Amino acid sequence: MATKANFTPEEWARVVASPMVAGIAITAADPSGLWGLMKESMASGWALVEAKQNANADTLVKAVAEDLADPTTRDAVRHSFQNRFKSSQISDVKQKAIDELRGVSAILDAKAPDDAPAFKGWLGSVAEKTAEASSEGGFLGIGGVAVSDAEKATLAEITSALGSSHAAV
């Protein structure tokens, strides 16, 4: 069972940031206005809270959720975000997020092979929850679709980047 000790500080920051990165990929795929942006942004945060409270959560998922309470970890995550997304144009954010998830997948395979499948599945579910957090299209959220075609395509890209079998919506 992998823990923070299995990773370098930079790798750990990337692993801890990965649920937010999955959410960013979805949000960037089909921005849905301020209210939608807020709902989608909160989805990855709620996924972390749920993981922290779930007694049956994978140990690595739980370790990530719990370590976000550490100010040093939060600083490392912020630094990792800045390095990955600094000076990005909105059109580049989705692809950078997908590339980052591919990198995190490789780190998980190398450093936590036993926990990697469960963690990657969880990341896929975080992305899915983010996609479902706000309806797309319509007017003021009325008449839209739960998950847009662009979000469905991005979910498939995330699944591919993670090399996981998590089924997209």
Side-chain angles (χ1 to χ4, degrees):
M1 308 235 188
T3 65
K4 182 178 181 175
N6 292 73
F7 303 91
T8 68
E10 180 196 347
E11 290 168 341
W12 183 246
R14 291 174 70 187
V15 170
V16 172
S18 64
M20 284 77 73
V21 172
I24 287 169
I26 295 296
T27 300
D30 195 3
S32 54
L34 181 60
W35 184 243
L37 174 66
M38 289 175 31
K39 288 168 126 179
E40 289 178 350
S41 297
M42 292 175 59
S44 58
W46 283 116
L48 287 162
V49 170
E50 289 171 7
K52 190 173 181 178
Q53 295 173 348
N54 182 354
N56 297 322
D58 174 73
T59 53
L60 184 57
V61 170
K62 201 165 197 63
V64 163
E66 289 174 354
D67 202 41
L68 268 171
D70 182 342
T72 304
T73 300
R74 284 194 308 270
D75 287 344
V77 167
R78 183 174 45 252
H79 187 266
S80 179
F81 260 66
Q82 289 170 342
N83 285 343
R84 305 269 180 275
F85 297 101
K86 182 173 57 177
S87 303
S88 295
Q89 300 298 318
I90 191 70
S91 59
D92 301 330
V93 170
K94 182 187 105 170
Q95 190 56 53
K96 284 186 174 186
I98 298 290
D99 292 343
E100 176 60 8
L101 291 172
R102 190 172 290 110
V104 168
S105 178
I107 291 168
L108 291 168
D109 288 341
K111 299 287 183 106
D114 293 339
D115 291 299
F119 194 88
K120 291 176 187 184
W122 177 69
L123 286 176
S125 72
V126 170
E128 195 172 296
K129 287 177 183 178
T130 301
E132 295 169 348
S134 176
S135 62
E136 309 298 328
F139 180 71
L140 298 175
I142 300 169
V145 295
V147 180
S148 72
D149 289 341
E151 290 173 329
K152 288 177 185 176
T154 303
L155 286 168
E157 287 181 73
I158 290 170
T159 298
S160 176
L162 293 172
S164 70
S165 59
H166 181 79
V169 175

